[in-house]
Amino acid sequence: MTHDNESRTPLRSSLITQGIDRATHRSLFYSMGRCREDLEKPLVAVVNSFNEVVPGHVHLQALCQAIKLGVAEAGGTPLEFPCIAVCDGIATGHQGMKMPMLSREMIADLIELMVTAHGFDAMVLLTNCDKVTPGMLMAAGRLNIPAILVSGGPMDSSSFQGKRVCYTDLIEAEGKVIRGEMNETELTAFEHAACPGCGSCAMMGTANSMNMLTEALGMTLTDGALIPATYGARVALAKRAGQAIIKLHNRKILPRDIMTLDAFENAMAVDMAIGGSTNTCLHLPAIAREVGITLEMDKFSEIAERTPHLTLLKPAGKFFTGDMYHAGGIPALMNELNLHQLIHPDCLTATGKTIAENIAGRKILDPEVIHPVESPISPRGGLAILRGNLAPEGAVVKSAAVAPEMLVHSGPARVFDREEEALEAIFGGGIKPGDVVVIRYEGPKGGPGMREQLMPTSAIIGMGLGKTVALITDGRFSGATQGACIGHISPEAYLGGPIALIAEGDTIRIDIPARTLILAVDPQVLEERRKSWNLPASTNIAKGSLLERYRRMVGSAMKGSILE
């Protein structure tokens, strides 16, 4: 297939706009104020995830209008429809956290439904937060019509008591109040200061991680990941994206031309260089499957071994997303990787150019924020896949956020069958230095929905235990998590995986440099426990519910928690 021909492309939408037997279809468009000329142009879906619930999405109306203006100026007809978006920060710590992973699948399905039903020629996907970006990329791969993503951009950092802060600083404050290091009046003031305005939280959370990986994949315009939400340049980028989608349509450049295996390897290399959220290990395989590519966890390990860790943003470091943007952003980081042959430079992108062309001449402007390859934070990538008798299929840890003294740790298991029980024990002083907190039955099927364990991990930090206590789970973590937190343990407890057989006081051995996770219990003892193992009553859910259907269909976390 050639991508050099800018001549007029046959319209997929002619199925609904052309012919005598489509008079009724055209009439329905005319009833909404469209004219015949509008229907002779490419019909571009502008999928808008705006709502008044999520800070990362509350400002998307202006970006949507800019996209539509760009589409119209370039010769297309933009047609907007809405998309759901969940705020993980508001959903966390209660039953609402069962829904975000499920929302990823619903977002992909919703877009497939609307685009197929209405015969669109192309689409611009307006996204920002955790599950919206991967869900939209899944839809792009599945539908394989010209597509480009536009994110809403990261939130600005703020200031509290003379220090720069963001959301991740606040989530540890409850523990400080309990410990007497902060009073409730100060906490209230902090609440008002931590999140100063719109945008995805100003840290290396899942939202910003996935938007960075979208740029690395080539599915957004250059600098699409990190221009702050409040900058005029973000609106200008949205307009350029609207113009670019018509060029992609005219040149017949499709998502599967962009999201190749090499492009996914580029995204994984960037993931390792930025020390991204562990949730990327769920989302990249799910996106890849939609374009016919299988991403194994061993591929993450392979790329982590050869890719250095180059940037350390909040919560693991002191810098914010805005700092990374001003230090050169993803283009500078990718150009640095390219100069050392650590990415594939010839991958096609949504700009119509290659990655190499997009990043040419981009330099690191602040080596404290983005380290050169010659002086990395670590010679190995910021994520690690662990295996052992406790995780035969694997587990994931954000090694970039682990204190050096916790990279190797051995301690007694403190076992909880739900997040709430663990949280009560942590805040109640029941967890002691050296312990390994085990939270199980929170996996894809066990939850169901694979709740993130942000509140327990934050409580551990807030209670001053971040350098002495580890947490392991078959659930997942927020990108805001820091510390020795190991998630996605597979097989999960609901399926009778070894994590289901841990007893209070068992010794658990963690060796992140050696990539191992060991339950130090005799195999014969574990076999005896298995004979008497039963699912706890807490895993029961209503028949026919949305979550029960998800439980029946969802697969292993180590394969992306994909619906099977």
Side-chain angles (χ1 to χ4, degrees):
M1 180 186 294
T2 179
H3 300 300
D4 296 324
N5 182 14
E6 295 259 5
S7 62
R8 185 175 178 84
T9 301
L11 296 179
R12 183 172 179 267
S13 58
S14 63
L15 293 170
I16 61 169
T17 62
Q18 304 301 316
I20 295 173
D21 59 347
R22 295 297 185 263
T24 53
H25 299 62
R26 291 189 293 272
S27 181
L28 291 170
F29 279 104
Y30 299 155
S31 76
M32 296 181 285
R34 301 293 173 183
C35 58
R36 185 62 182 256
E37 291 76 16
D38 294 332
L39 305 186
E40 293 171 351
K41 300 173 183 177
L43 299 187
V44 178
V46 181
V47 187
N48 184 4
S49 58
F50 161 81
N51 63 48
E52 295 182 345
V53 181
V54 187
H57 296 247
V58 72
H59 64 301
L60 296 187
Q61 294 291 57
L63 299 182
C64 188
Q65 295 305 312
I67 291 167
K68 291 192 285 187
L69 180 60
V71 170
E73 286 184 354
T77 297
L79 298 169
E80 176 188 347
F81 65 79
C83 175
I84 61 171
V86 171
C87 178
D88 280 34
I90 296 173
T92 198
H94 59 97
Q95 295 303 301
M97 186 41 73
K98 294 177 183 288
M99 296 301 177
M101 281 297 292
L102 193 155
S103 77
R104 184 188 75 179
E105 315 306 318
M106 295 189 72
I107 287 163
D109 291 349
L110 179 154
I111 295 169
E112 179 188 13
L113 185 156
M114 287 292 290
V115 167
T116 304
H118 301 105
F120 284 103
D121 297 291
M123 55 187 181
V124 181
L125 305 165
L126 184 53
T127 179
N128 214 17
C129 289
D130 297 30
K131 311 307 173 293
V132 187
T133 298
M136 287 185 167
L137 286 170
M138 289 165 67
R142 184 184 303 174
L143 290 163
N144 202 35
I145 64 172
I148 189 168
L149 268 73
V150 178
S151 87
M155 187 183 291
D156 293 327
S157 60
S158 187
S159 179
F160 178 68
Q161 295 182 341
K163 296 179 181 179
R164 290 179 69 202
V165 296
C166 68
Y167 170 81
T168 186
D169 297 289
L170 177 62
I171 59 180
E172 299 159 15
E174 290 180 14
K176 291 182 179 181
V177 172
I178 292 171
R179 292 166 62 198
E181 295 179 8
M182 177 181 288
N183 61 47
E184 292 188 38
T185 300
E186 289 175 310
L187 178 62
T188 298
F190 200 173
E191 291 172 19
H192 286 86
C195 299
C198 61
S200 53
C201 299
M203 60 181 181
M204 191 62 79
T206 304
N208 288 316
S209 294
M210 284 308 305
N211 288 334
M212 292 182 205
L213 299 196
T214 299
E215 187 170 345
L217 270 174
M219 284 296 292
T220 190
L221 298 186
T222 308
D223 283 311
L226 287 175
I227 296 173
T230 55
Y231 283 24
R234 173 63 59 186
V235 180
L237 180 136
K239 182 180 176 183
R240 292 201 309 275
Q243 297 166 340
I245 193 62
I246 300 302
K247 293 181 179 179
L248 292 179
H249 177 265
N250 290 343
R251 294 181 61 188
K252 306 180 183 68
I253 296 176
L254 305 177
R256 294 183 191 179
D257 300 320
I258 296 171
M259 291 193 287
T260 62
L261 178 57
D262 282 354
F264 278 101
E265 290 190 356
N266 284 349
M268 285 187 279
V270 168
D271 200 9
M272 297 306 159
I274 64 175
S277 165
T278 51
N279 287 312
T280 60
C281 296
L282 294 170
H283 300 321
L284 286 179
I287 298 161
R289 190 190 69 158
E290 299 289 353
V291 298
I293 294 171
T294 300
L295 285 187
E296 302 286 354
M297 286 300 115
D298 287 342
K299 178 64 73 173
F300 283 85
S301 295
E302 172 194 324
I303 291 176
E305 289 300 314
R306 68 171 184 249
T307 309
H309 179 209
L310 301 181
T311 188
L312 197 62
L313 303 188
K314 288 277 190 174
K318 64 181 181 179
F319 296 110
F320 301 81
T321 47
D323 297 321
M324 187 170 176
Y325 171 64
H326 291 293
I330 292 299
L333 182 138
M334 291 191 77
N335 198 34
E336 178 69 9
L337 294 175
N338 189 40
L339 291 172
H340 293 82
Q341 292 79 53
L342 293 171
I343 62 169
H344 303 286
D346 297 328
C347 293
L348 188 64
T349 75
T351 65
K353 300 177 181 179
T354 66
I355 280 285
E357 291 173 309
N358 289 347
I359 64 179
R362 295 294 293 265
K363 296 179 180 179
I364 296 172
L365 303 177
D366 187 340
E368 282 192 67
V369 179
I370 304 175
H371 289 232
V373 168
E374 290 88 351
S375 55
I377 296 165
S378 167
R380 300 169 91 178
L383 296 177
I385 308 299
L386 310 186
R387 286 191 171 87
N389 72 333
L390 184 46
E393 294 177 5
V396 181
V397 63
K398 187 173 180 176
S399 52
V402 179
E405 52 266 57
M406 289 297 292
L407 290 171
V408 178
H409 179 77
S410 180
R414 304 300 313 284
V415 185
F416 305 94
D417 288 347
R418 274 292 179 263
E419 171 190 343
E420 289 83 355
E421 299 166 11
L423 196 61
E424 183 178 347
I426 297 166
F427 279 137
I431 303 302
K432 306 301 181 185
D435 287 348
V436 179
V437 176
V438 178
I439 303 178
R440 61 192 180 189
Y441 300 104
E442 292 286 8
K445 288 183 180 292
M450 203 177 184
R451 290 196 291 178
E452 69 177 26
Q453 304 303 306
L454 173 60
M455 294 194 73
T457 58
S458 302
I460 287 170
I461 300 294
M463 294 298 286
L465 299 169
K467 295 183 179 181
T468 59
V469 169
L471 187 153
I472 69 171
T473 181
D474 52 6
R476 62 187 179 88
F477 294 113
S478 163
T481 295
Q482 59 177 308
C485 302
I486 299 166
H488 307 195
I489 290 177
S490 300
E492 62 175 292
Y494 186 83
L495 296 176
I499 189 173
L501 307 179
I502 301 173
E504 188 81 7
D506 285 350
T507 297
I508 294 173
R509 295 174 183 159
I510 300 165
D511 192 331
I512 294 172
R515 305 303 197 237
T516 59
L517 182 61
I518 303 297
L519 175 59
V521 175
D522 187 277
Q524 200 167 6
V525 173
L526 292 179
E527 190 55 37
E528 287 301 313
R529 291 179 186 175
R530 182 173 297 283
K531 292 176 183 177
S532 60
W533 170 75
N534 290 293
L535 286 170
S538 59
T539 61
N540 294 337
I541 53 174
K543 292 286 185 182
S545 68
L546 185 60
L547 287 169
E548 193 268 338
R549 281 177 276 156
Y550 183 79
R551 170 177 280 173
R552 280 191 275 114
M553 299 172 69
V554 71
S556 168
M558 297 309 287
K559 295 183 179 179
S561 294
I562 296 165
L563 298 188
E564 297 174 345

